[in-house]
Amino acid sequence: MTFYDGIYPFYPLQRTSFIFSTHLLTIILVFLVLTVSFLLILPGIRGKSRLFWMLRIIISLFIGIVIVALNFTSDWAEARTTTNTTYKSFSSEEVNAELGLHIGLYGINITLKGNPVNQLNETINYNEMFAWKDTIDEEYGEALERGLPNPILYIAEKFTLNNPCGLIYQYRYSGRYASATLWTAFCCWLVANVLFSMPVILYAGYMMVATAAFIFFSMASFSTIMNLPTCLFTIGTSEAFQTEYSGSFWLALATGVLCLIIGVLVVLLDCLIPGKIREAFSVGVDNDEDEDVYFGEGYLNSNFLAGVTTTPLTTLVLPTDEIRNVSRQPSLQELSVRM
């Protein structure tokens, strides 16, 4: 056994565990950079509007990052149990471990952690990802070759094409439709942010309501998995367990409610006090009518007015013969003589 580093001889490959989704890491970093960039311009905003703009930026970016991240999380539904079960195939040795199943829109994540972690001269701490691009049969075959523990293989087998439970069909299609509606919600969120910067606040409110609606549609699509015939998981000495809604599902619900509240408030305020709501968003406000232009006090030097007299305007009537001679322009001397 020591020659194979604690792995049974008939399993040639060492296991590699799923650590963290690189997609989630990229999304988090991108939105953190955007958040910091927008917060850096806040000192340039004067008055009470600075606090409003800060809340607006934080809430808007929070909604955006949640909508995108929900596509790549693996905890829309989950199930957990602690049991005594056989560890590897062709062996009767048992371990006490906590087994977890985490379901996302693009695959499942199966965890196995020993209690304690070190048992049978091995560290039992597995975190394996099975993504369903089409099926997980290929990844399940690779897991068999790698010699993953029996509990992980048992749950992964439930999602193969030939399994009587048929979980793969409903979970895969539900995940695809939920992901598609989430991306539509993200597009609505982008349009809403553009409209909030234009004097059409009412339509921005409508787009926020549409964002909430598509988030709710994604939840409804994923919820169809609960309409499946009950497929219980039974491992070792533990009782049968099944999946329940988890963190990502409830986070999607909270984000949808937040978008709905914002959208309804914007629509109502735009109907009741349109001027105030446009002033709050700094759009559609003509400052020239509200501001009085003040040039300060003026001073006039009285020396320039010395010897100046004012006379009323008089009408100069020219003779008829001079009016006829239009082509000839009189000189200044002639005009002085005539007057």
Side-chain angles (χ1 to χ4, degrees):
M1 287 300 183
T2 55
F3 179 74
Y4 288 95
D5 193 20
I7 304 300
Y8 291 99
F10 35 81
Y11 297 121
L13 299 177
Q14 178 66 280
R15 60 110 169 107
T16 56
S17 61
F18 171 78
I19 304 298
F20 191 77
S21 174
T22 55
H23 297 289
L24 276 178
L25 182 61
T26 303
I27 293 168
I28 292 174
L29 290 178
V30 169
F31 276 89
L32 281 179
V33 170
L34 288 175
T35 303
V36 173
S37 301
F38 281 113
L39 292 179
L40 286 178
I41 67 174
L42 285 180
I45 302 175
R46 296 177 298 176
K48 298 180 181 179
S49 60
R50 180 184 303 173
L51 179 61
F52 174 76
W53 274 88
M54 184 182 68
L55 293 176
R56 178 182 170 185
I57 291 171
I58 293 176
I59 293 175
S60 179
L61 290 178
F62 170 77
I63 294 173
I65 189 174
V66 168
I67 294 175
V68 177
L70 286 175
N71 285 276
F72 304 100
T73 55
S74 59
D75 59 344
W76 278 74
E78 67 177 6
R80 293 178 181 272
T81 187
T82 301
T83 182
N84 293 318
T85 180
T86 56
Y87 183 52
K88 292 289 182 74
S89 299
F90 307 104
S91 174
S92 59
E93 293 180 312
E94 293 186 351
V95 295
N96 181 270
E98 180 183 359
L99 180 65
L101 169 62
H102 311 272
I103 301 174
L105 302 183
Y106 290 98
I108 59 175
N109 187 29
I110 305 174
T111 59
L112 181 68
K113 185 175 183 180
N115 187 20
V117 176
N118 296 316
Q119 298 182 51
L120 303 179
N121 296 325
E122 185 177 346
T123 300
I124 303 175
N125 190 6
Y126 291 81
N127 194 339
E128 301 294 333
M129 184 70 183
F130 296 88
W132 46 58
K133 298 179 181 178
D134 292 320
T135 65
I136 68 170
D137 289 42
E138 183 178 350
E139 295 189 8
Y140 175 71
E142 294 177 355
L144 288 172
E145 294 180 359
R146 292 161 54 196
L148 292 180
N150 279 349
I152 295 179
L153 296 176
Y154 169 79
I155 293 182
E157 185 184 7
K158 294 286 187 180
F159 292 88
T160 56
L161 288 175
N162 297 326
N163 192 271
C165 288
L167 296 178
I168 180 64
Y169 298 102
Q170 190 66 28
Y171 276 86
R172 181 178 61 186
Y173 291 117
S174 297
R176 287 180 177 178
Y177 287 124
S179 178
T181 51
L182 278 177
W183 284 117
T184 308
F186 179 72
C187 295
C188 293
W189 172 80
L190 289 177
V191 175
N193 280 274
V194 174
L195 294 178
F196 273 125
S197 302
M198 302 171 64
V200 283
I201 304 299
L202 179 63
Y203 297 100
Y206 289 155
M207 292 308 299
M208 289 301 295
V209 174
T211 303
F214 281 108
I215 293 177
F216 294 147
F217 290 155
S218 67
M219 296 173 58
S221 176
F222 186 80
S223 298
T224 57
I225 62 174
M226 298 303 175
N227 298 329
L228 288 173
T230 304
C231 185
L232 300 177
F233 300 94
T234 305
I235 300 176
T237 59
S238 67
E239 297 181 357
F241 63 98
Q242 58 184 357
T243 58
E244 298 178 349
Y245 295 129
S246 187
S248 293
F249 184 86
W250 302 118
L251 181 60
L253 176 62
T255 306
V257 172
L258 176 62
C259 293
L260 182 62
I261 293 174
I262 294 174
V264 171
L265 282 178
V266 169
V267 172
L268 291 177
L269 292 177
D270 187 80
C271 294
L272 298 177
I273 46 174
K276 293 292 185 180
I277 192 67
R278 284 170 173 76
E279 182 180 356
F281 284 91
S282 302
V283 294
V285 178
D286 190 4
N287 295 326
D288 294 338
E289 298 178 359
D290 300 332
E291 295 182 0
D292 295 331
V293 180
Y294 179 69
F295 295 99
E297 297 181 358
Y299 297 93
L300 181 62
N301 192 346
S302 58
N303 294 328
F304 290 104
L305 300 178
V308 177
T309 58
T310 58
T311 57
L313 294 176
T314 57
T315 303
L316 180 63
V317 180
L318 297 177
T320 306
D321 55 347
E322 293 185 0
I323 295 177
R324 293 175 181 175
N325 191 9
V326 179
S327 60
R328 178 176 173 273
Q329 297 295 333
S331 62
L332 294 177
Q333 295 179 355
E334 293 177 343
L335 289 176
S336 61
V337 171
R338 293 172 185 175
M339 295 177 63

